[in-house]
Amino acid sequence: MAVPLVVLTDPRDARARRELAVAAGTRILAAAHAAGIDITATCGGRGRCTSCRVKFVEGTVPPPTIMDEVQLGADLVREGYRLSCQCAVTERVAVQLAPPLEERSFQILGAGPGVRASAPALTIDAGIAKELLKVALPRDEHHQTSDLESLAAAVGVAPESVAPAVLATLPQALRDDPAGVTVTTFAPGGRAAGAGRQVVAVERGDTTAMKFGLAIDVGTTSVVTTLIELESGEQLASVSSLNPQSVFGGDLMSRIAFAQFNPGNLRKLHTRIVGLLNQHVAEVCRESGVLPKWIYKVVVVGNTCMHHLLLGIDPSHVGLAPYAPVMRHPVTLPARDVPLKIAPEARVCLLPLVAGFVGADAVAVALATRLADRDALRIAVDIGTNGEVILGSRARLMACSAPAGPALEGAQIRHGMRGAVGAIDRVEVDDDIRVHTIGEAPPLGICGSGLIDLLAGLLQAGAIDWTGLIAMDARAALPPRLAARLVMRGEERQIVVVRAGEAGAAGEIVLTQDDVRQVQLAKGAIASGIAMVQRIAGVPDDRVDELLLAGGFGNYVSIASAVRIGLIPALPAGRIRYVGNAASLGAQLCLLSEAERARAAALALRIEHVSLAAHPDFEEVFVDAMNFPRR
Ligand code: FES
């Protein structure tokens, strides 16, 4: 039996509504997604976050489930909020979506200073060449040639080397401008190698100065696209956004579960990411004044799942033991096959993968950090929703994945938020709790770097013990103002980080016992990844020459706080440093240098994938890593 479900799709505009007819018993989230209405489902519909909450505005509010009570808390439940993934439609109801996340102000780490600053010695050879040619066309009717053959002869390649999409406009291009035509070629391996040159564009007149490329880092949570001039390496524009697939699951496993064996859902994930990349193309082109048709090369990095979804490949088996990727080798395909709205025959190069959960982003990090170039033993940690740990030197490279989930980015935390304006990003704990917010705005919630600072400060003060328990019994020993912030609400232990009205906050911001557990799970994943790779490689802390923190999250976190909570090992401060968005830098290196792209391919073959879950020590190391260091 079909039941009407009214969805108020814009919390600020009561007229924006959709009326759906859904089978009785269908969950609201599933009904909305089937109708193309975006409700963010960070935990993939498992009742473990609050992102899918809706407010009942008409009809009977269903009794709350345990998940509603745990995740939303008594106040929101009383106001009529429910988790849309947990509640089914049985009669006519109207629900309002929660306010959307303010994506514009998200503090996603961009592309960084670029190749010219980070690798000034790089020899630029993107493999793209442009030359202005005068092509001799047939003059009389007794000829036995063609436009294509004339062009190929002028360029010095076989006719088969001219990409088919170039032919559509070839006759006009060859005849329209007396100055001649500009022919763009791509030589895999670099211009010096010369072999296998392909003609990827023919334009009328002289456009030889216009030669651009894109470096794209597709992360589980954020996507960064950088436009670069291919001769000078100059970074012209960079744009970053949330990955729009997050609506269907915040971490990799929930995204794979959404796609699993369902071609419709797979198509949705594919079109979301391609749509976003085309928006990025439009944006960087608008900002720089570059025409999309002058973009001839693209390098994409991403984890295995993101790579597969971009190509429209079913990632189902990546999520099932033994976690086999569908393919691993480097791929080059024309932009029209993605499809990206740039030169149709532009070469889109995807870097190779290592394993199901160690992807091209890890290869790019290893390349950018030059891990394999030195004898020194170094560890690169790419902290993100799906983190990676790579340990290596000239002799050997080992990598594992560290699935932290999105908690360190503020998801699945009661008052967590991403690094947007109003997010608490730094915290000091002394005789009280003092917060700093992004944009110095009134506090709205707390983001990952703030969470880590907060936990480090509370641990140091003794307000949380080494097992992560909020230490209600220790209140008498705490300074009175700090002690007053530790409260019991029903059965729940909480720390009131900001009271309503404090620093202009509209409402209270608390850290719950469950929030602490979520951060412990996330930091346990990263810390156990580091510890296990060290253990398997036989490299104790005192033999680690340097730890490199990379990724969108790593650049905002305080190193001292990260060490205090045991997210990273307690190496001397001088041996830990930030390296920024190393995955994006690796993509930029491969964009500007075919030699670097070849190095990346060689590195991928050298990286040994370490599967942690199968290791007999893993459970013990993980449980240990969940606890905080005792001091
Ligand atoms: S609780 Fe519904 S998607 Fe997370």
Side-chain angles (χ1 to χ4, degrees), residues 73-419:
D75 289 351
L76 288 182
V77 164
R78 211 173 311 114
E79 285 171 36
Y81 280 93
R82 295 291 182 271
L83 300 173
S84 65
C85 67
Q86 301 297 310
C87 75
V89 189
T90 52
E91 58 177 272
R92 186 189 191 281
V93 288
V95 298
Q96 182 169 50
L97 302 194
L101 301 164
E102 286 299 330
E103 186 174 324
R104 294 221 153 266
S105 49
F106 281 176
Q107 187 189 23
I108 292 167
L109 182 63
V115 165
R116 288 215 310 187
S118 311
L122 181 78
T123 305
I124 294 179
D125 179 0
I128 295 288
K130 285 186 108 174
E131 55 181 330
L132 181 65
L133 291 174
K134 293 225 165 106
V135 177
L137 291 169
R139 288 188 178 278
D140 58 51
E141 293 179 18
H142 300 291
H143 69 82
Q144 232 175 315
T145 181
S146 66
D147 288 358
L148 171 60
E149 285 161 271
S150 306
L151 173 77
V155 181
V157 295
E160 296 76 23
S161 305
V162 180
V166 168
L167 299 178
T169 53
L170 187 62
Q172 290 75 33
L174 290 178
R175 290 170 179 84
D176 272 5
D177 199 318
V181 286
T182 301
V183 177
T184 307
T185 54
F186 173 63
R191 282 176 306 210
R197 270 198 315 156
Q198 301 142 4
V199 174
V200 294
V202 176
E203 293 147 19
R204 53 187 282 265
D206 185 356
T207 65
T208 45
M210 306 302 175
K211 213 192 296 177
F212 305 95
L214 299 172
I216 301 177
D217 173 16
V218 184
T220 313
T221 301
S222 55
V223 181
V224 182
T225 300
T226 310
L227 177 71
I228 295 177
E229 206 278 323
L230 291 181
E231 212 56 54
S232 63
E234 194 183 340
Q235 191 173 304
L236 301 176
S238 184
V239 43
S240 40
S241 318
L242 282 181
N243 187 329
Q245 298 169 338
S246 303
V247 167
F248 305 113
D251 60 26
L252 280 188
M253 284 315 253
S254 38
R255 206 119 4 127
I256 292 172
F258 178 74
Q260 222 152 31
F261 310 117
N262 183 331
N265 287 352
L266 172 62
R267 212 165 21 251
K268 266 185 202 163
L269 291 166
H270 172 68
T271 51
R272 285 290 165 111
I273 188 61
V274 172
L276 179 76
L277 294 186
N278 280 314
Q279 273 174 33
H280 277 192
V281 168
E283 218 165 305
V284 292
C285 286
R286 196 167 45 241
E287 205 175 297
S288 59
V290 165
L291 296 181
K293 67 176 183 181
W294 293 331
I295 297 174
Y296 305 105
K297 183 181 173 190
V298 178
V299 172
V300 185
V301 299
N303 60 53
T304 303
C305 179
M306 295 304 110
H307 167 284
H308 283 22
L309 292 176
L310 178 62
L311 293 179
I313 298 173
D314 179 4
S316 297
H317 290 277
V318 176
L320 298 170
Y323 313 109
V326 176
M327 54 167 291
R328 298 195 308 149
H329 68 280
V331 191
T332 300
L333 69 164
R336 67 186 151 82
D337 282 1
V338 177
L340 280 184
K341 293 178 187 157
I342 54 178
E345 287 292 339
R347 301 290 109 167
V348 178
C349 310
L350 284 93
L351 294 195
L353 310 170
V354 177
F357 285 96
V358 176
D361 47 357
V363 175
V365 169
L367 180 76
T369 52
R370 302 299 197 215
L371 273 192
D373 287 10
R374 302 204 204 142
D375 292 324
L377 264 170
R378 295 184 295 160
I379 300 176
V381 186
D382 193 6
I383 297 182
T385 304
N386 187 62
E388 282 116 12
V389 179
I390 315 157
L391 180 150
S393 67
R394 207 188 299 275
R396 195 174 181 193
L397 286 169
M398 298 170 88
C400 73
S401 77
L408 292 176
E409 296 168 63
Q412 299 182 13
I413 299 295
R414 174 81 53 89
H415 288 132
M417 63 183 286
R418 295 181 196 270

Side-chain angles (χ1 to χ4, degrees), residues 40-52 83 85:
T40 303
T42 303
C43 74
R46 286 175 290 162
R48 306 246 319 262
C49 69
T50 57
S51 68
C52 70
L83 300 173
C85 67

